Amino acid sequence: MKKLRLLFYGLSIILLASCAKQSTPTGGPRDEDPPILQQANPTDQSLNTKPETITLTFDEYVKLENPSKGIVITPRINKDEVEFTALKNVVTVKLNQELEDSTTYVFDFQKSVVDISEENPAENLKIVFSTGNSIDSLSLSGKVNFYFPASKTDFKDVLVGIYPVGDTTDVLTAQPYYLSQVDTAGNFTITNIKNGKYMAYAWKDANGTLKAEHKSEDYDFVLDTLHLNENIPGLTFNLSKADITPIRILRSATFGQNYDIVLSRPAVSTKLENEQLGNRYFYTSNDTRIRIYSDEAQSDSIPFQVTLSDSVGFSKDSLIWAKFPESERTPEKLTVSANSGKNFFQNLEAELKFNKPLKSVNTDSLYIAYDTASVIPITREMMSLPDSSRRDILHIRFSVPDSLSQEIFTVKAADSTFTDVENQINETSLTANYRKLKREGLADEISGAITGAQPPFIVQLVNSKNELAHEQFLDSSTTFSFKMVEPGTFKIRVIEDLNGNKRWDPSNFTERRLAERVFYFSNAEGQPNLVIRSGWSLQDQNIQASPPTGLPKTENSAVEKP
């Protein structure tokens, strides 16, 4: 009986402890209701007010999520001076600065105010007031695109801003006067704008500075001045990267028996001029370094005219006096790499890249193997050097006869096959495999027409890995055709090559030049992907050019040419 009584007491203590313990209730519906604004001071649409502090009172406890970046304030104020706080159900904004006279201010809180429990953001939370006796009501709206979008287009952090004409700042130097966040579909609207003339910009503000970083962020600008005396819809921006830092020669000096020229940034075009270039002198260009080689040491300085061009069109011309002294420095070893793993249909095209200019090739140890015992010697007629002044790329082309049914062909080079201008040989052998595709495994043709733009065009097939699979240059035609295409999922990309230099040119903000337009094929569902199967012939894959940056080309009094 005593034991029974003790057991009863023990169970009672446990039950009492359980009842006394507090815990979060489980079950029940999840709170999905956003905070509701109950009171604002000043009230929305207020006139003749210059508040020092803005207070918002909600129906529940709230907190702020990254307010310095998420809350958009227009027109421009010194946001570094603004203090944002949330206490219980009240949000306070201390401005700590004098507002302008006769100006309409917009405080767009977007998704910065959320409830405590489930972080539901307050909806359509915007306070508009004027320091004068009227509310500015003009608006500017449109859409933002990317010329080279990621696999999944992300408009997060994309902003659109306008600056009054006469303002000494721009998108690269300071935040705009009026500002808007782009929505998830790329659309934007700037509201409550004062009548006036403005310059317009868009950019992806990845670092939250409210201005564009030209070295790292995509951006775009409208060349024309916008005269806002009425609402303006339909403004288009096309974002892309464009580093406008001019190319420079940082230094030049001897390196062993060679001569180095070091650049501030990579050049897209490098031209060296000397009477003996390609005979006695050769060069390589790698990223930001140009290295000139001589076939022998020399006591005299040798002149080279160097012409450099960067991606945005800046150029640099310099006369360099290079020296090639005797040197005890051990020459760099010769290395070779190949585009191994490439597929081909009829013509095997191998590309061999060297770290230094070639002097000679021993063809006795260079061949194509296609089974364990059969080889095809690579003759000099099968080889070519794209640039005799550089001699660092060797092309090998061989038309495989139909009588050879093998699938894998291997380019092989033994050690000591290649000798460079410093008399160094390749110390390791080279093996590069190439796969021959069967005719029945290929798509017959992909063809179509381009409308809404004028040639020349660069038409590209881009695979699912965002790699360039095929490319065509159309000098005067608007129709394209790719034949014998390997099956897969592709995008068709078109570059409007305005200057015909066979490459895409980015914008140049300094010279007020827009980037060359880039647009894509779109299927019936509005998606860019094109699925290709073996044996298919896809015709009439027509491509409509996307709108260029700016307003639609109509007689519009809202536009003034620069």
Side-chain angles (χ1 to χ4, degrees):
M1 189 72 177
K2 184 177 181 181
K3 289 182 179 181
L4 190 61
R5 191 182 302 113
L6 290 173
L7 179 62
F8 174 76
Y9 288 154
L11 289 173
S12 300
I13 292 171
I14 292 173
L15 288 172
L16 287 171
S18 300
C19 293
K21 184 179 179 181
Q22 294 184 357
S23 61
T24 303
T26 59
R30 181 177 180 271
D31 178 17
E32 297 182 353
D33 295 329
I36 297 175
L37 180 66
Q38 292 185 323
Q39 184 178 357
N41 185 21
T43 59
D44 188 37
Q45 306 296 314
S46 293
L47 301 178
N48 299 308
T49 181
K50 272 193 178 183
E52 296 180 357
T53 301
I54 298 172
T55 58
L56 307 177
T57 304
F58 295 88
D59 66 339
E60 59 179 316
Y61 283 11
V62 294
K63 63 180 180 178
L64 290 169
E65 293 285 346
N66 195 13
S68 60
K69 186 176 181 180
I71 300 175
V72 176
I73 305 173
T74 57
R76 178 174 60 205
I77 67 173
N78 189 353
K79 207 169 183 181
D80 292 338
E81 301 293 331
V82 181
E83 298 178 36
F84 303 96
T85 58
L87 181 61
K88 295 183 178 180
N89 65 329
V90 178
V91 170
T92 303
V93 182
K94 293 185 67 175
L95 300 177
N96 297 318
Q97 57 199 286
E98 182 77 12
L99 300 182
E100 297 182 17
D101 294 331
S102 302
T103 301
T104 299
Y105 284 90
V106 179
F107 284 71
D108 188 348
F109 291 82
Q110 300 191 96
K111 297 182 179 181
S112 294
V113 178
V114 300
D115 62 36
I116 292 290
S117 58
E118 297 292 345
E119 298 188 349
N120 299 307
E123 297 178 349
N124 303 317
L125 184 56
K126 182 186 294 187
I127 301 297
V128 180
F129 62 86
S130 175
T131 58
N133 54 16
S134 64
I135 297 286
D136 296 323
S137 59
L138 295 176
S139 67
L140 176 68
S141 60
K143 187 172 178 59
V144 176
N145 305 300
F146 285 91
Y147 273 154
F148 299 96
S151 55
K152 184 178 181 181
T153 304
D154 182 11
F155 290 103
K156 181 182 178 182
D157 300 326
V158 176
L159 304 177
V160 175
I162 59 175
Y163 296 70
V165 170
D167 194 326
T168 57
T169 62
D170 55 50
V171 70
L172 301 179
T173 58
Q175 71 180 75
Y177 196 72
Y178 289 100
L179 180 68
S180 175
Q181 175 81 45
V182 173
D183 68 16
T184 56
N187 301 308
F188 71 90
T189 301
I190 305 177
T191 61
N192 301 101
I193 306 173
K194 184 183 295 186
N195 188 324
K197 297 180 180 180
Y198 298 90
M199 303 303 298
Y201 307 85
W203 68 101
K204 186 171 179 62
D205 189 31
N207 60 1
T209 60
L210 298 183
K211 61 186 182 71
E213 308 295 336
H214 68 86
K215 290 185 178 181
S216 58
E217 295 178 343
D218 297 69
Y219 64 97
D220 194 19
F221 50 92
V222 175
L223 293 177
D224 303 326
T225 299
L226 302 180
H227 189 180
L228 269 82
N229 54 10
E230 60 181 359
N231 295 340
I232 300 179
L235 185 64
T236 298
F237 290 98
N238 297 289
L239 305 186
S240 60
K241 288 185 173 65
D243 185 354
I244 56 173
T245 306
I247 191 168
R248 296 182 296 113
I249 295 177
L250 296 180
R251 63 182 183 276
S252 60
T254 57
F255 183 85
Q257 191 177 304
N258 310 313
Y259 195 81
D260 279 3
I261 303 172
V262 180
L263 311 178
S264 61
R265 55 178 301 196
V268 297
S269 174
T270 302
K271 182 180 180 182
L272 268 64
E273 294 180 86
N274 180 283
E275 291 182 356
Q276 294 298 316
L277 192 65
N279 295 317
R280 296 190 60 187
Y281 309 111
F282 309 90
Y283 77 97
T284 59
S285 179
N286 182 16
D287 197 19
T288 58
R289 188 204 70 191
I290 301 170
R291 178 165 291 171
I292 307 175
Y293 298 82
S294 174
D295 61 356
E296 62 179 1
Q298 298 185 58
S299 58
D300 296 332
S301 297
I302 308 300
F304 290 87
Q305 184 67 40
V306 181
T307 303
L308 308 168
S309 298
D310 61 20
S311 59
V312 296
F314 290 129
S315 61
K316 177 71 176 178
D317 291 320
S318 295
L319 180 63
I320 298 292
W321 291 85
K323 297 180 179 180
F324 305 98
E326 295 281 357
S327 176
E328 296 182 357
R329 188 186 187 100
T330 303
E332 186 181 5
K333 291 183 178 181
L334 176 64
T335 61
V336 55
S337 61
N339 59 339
S340 182
K342 292 291 185 180
N343 300 334
F344 70 96
F345 173 47
Q346 292 176 321
N347 298 316
L348 187 159
E349 296 184 353
E351 182 179 84
L352 277 56
K353 291 185 177 181
F354 303 86
N355 62 324
K356 293 191 289 182
L358 282 180
K359 179 180 180 181
S360 62
V361 178
N362 180 12
T363 56
D364 292 340
S365 56
L366 183 63
Y367 56 91
I368 299 172
Y370 57 92
D371 61 29
T372 55
S374 302
V375 298
I376 301 168
I378 296 178
T379 64
R380 298 195 180 278
E381 291 73 24
M382 297 162 59
M383 297 185 294
S384 63
L385 293 166
D387 190 339
S388 60
S389 300
R390 299 181 55 147
R391 300 176 67 91
D392 57 348
I393 296 178
L394 178 66
H395 286 169
I396 299 172
R397 190 175 191 273
F398 174 63
S399 295
V400 178
D402 294 335
S403 58
L404 296 180
S405 59
Q406 282 76 10
E407 182 179 355
I408 302 299
F409 291 78
T410 304
V411 173
K412 291 192 173 185
D415 60 275
S416 306
T417 297
F418 307 106
T419 305
D420 66 31
V421 294
E422 294 185 297
N423 293 317
Q424 302 295 301
I425 58 174
N426 62 302
E427 296 181 355
T428 58
S429 59
L430 172 73
T431 300
N433 294 319
Y434 302 87
R435 184 165 67 97
K436 183 181 180 183
L437 302 174
K438 295 181 180 180
R439 171 65 183 84
E440 58 270 22
L442 301 175
D444 293 341
E445 183 182 22
I446 305 166
S447 62
I450 302 167
T451 58
Q454 295 298 317
F457 296 122
I458 303 169
V459 187
Q460 300 173 328
L461 271 184
V462 182
N463 64 22
S464 58
K465 297 179 180 179
N466 208 31
E467 300 169 336
L468 181 62
H470 299 274
E471 183 177 80
Q472 281 185 357
F473 179 73
L474 305 180
D475 186 27
S476 56
S477 175
T478 58
T479 59
F480 64 91
S481 174
F482 295 100
K483 296 183 179 180
M484 303 296 106
V485 178
E486 192 174 355
T489 301
F490 296 88
K491 294 179 182 178
I492 308 178
R493 181 168 62 201
V494 180
I495 298 172
E496 189 179 28
D497 190 22
L498 298 175
N499 57 9
N501 64 358
K502 299 184 179 180
R503 67 170 184 264
W504 175 74
D505 292 312
S507 65
N508 189 317
F509 182 76
T510 305
E511 297 183 351
R512 307 294 294 170
R513 185 176 67 247
L514 295 177
E516 289 180 326
R517 190 160 39 151
V518 182
F519 44 92
Y520 297 80
F521 165 80
S522 180
N523 59 26
E525 290 76 32
Q527 300 300 315
N529 292 333
L530 181 67
V531 178
I532 301 171
R533 305 295 186 205
S534 58
W536 283 14
S537 180
L538 300 179
Q539 299 177 347
D540 298 326
Q541 305 302 301
N542 300 327
I543 302 173
Q544 172 65 43
S546 59
T549 294
L551 291 171
K553 296 300 180 181
T554 59
E555 291 298 327
N556 196 327
S557 60
V559 172
E560 293 185 8
K561 297 297 180 181

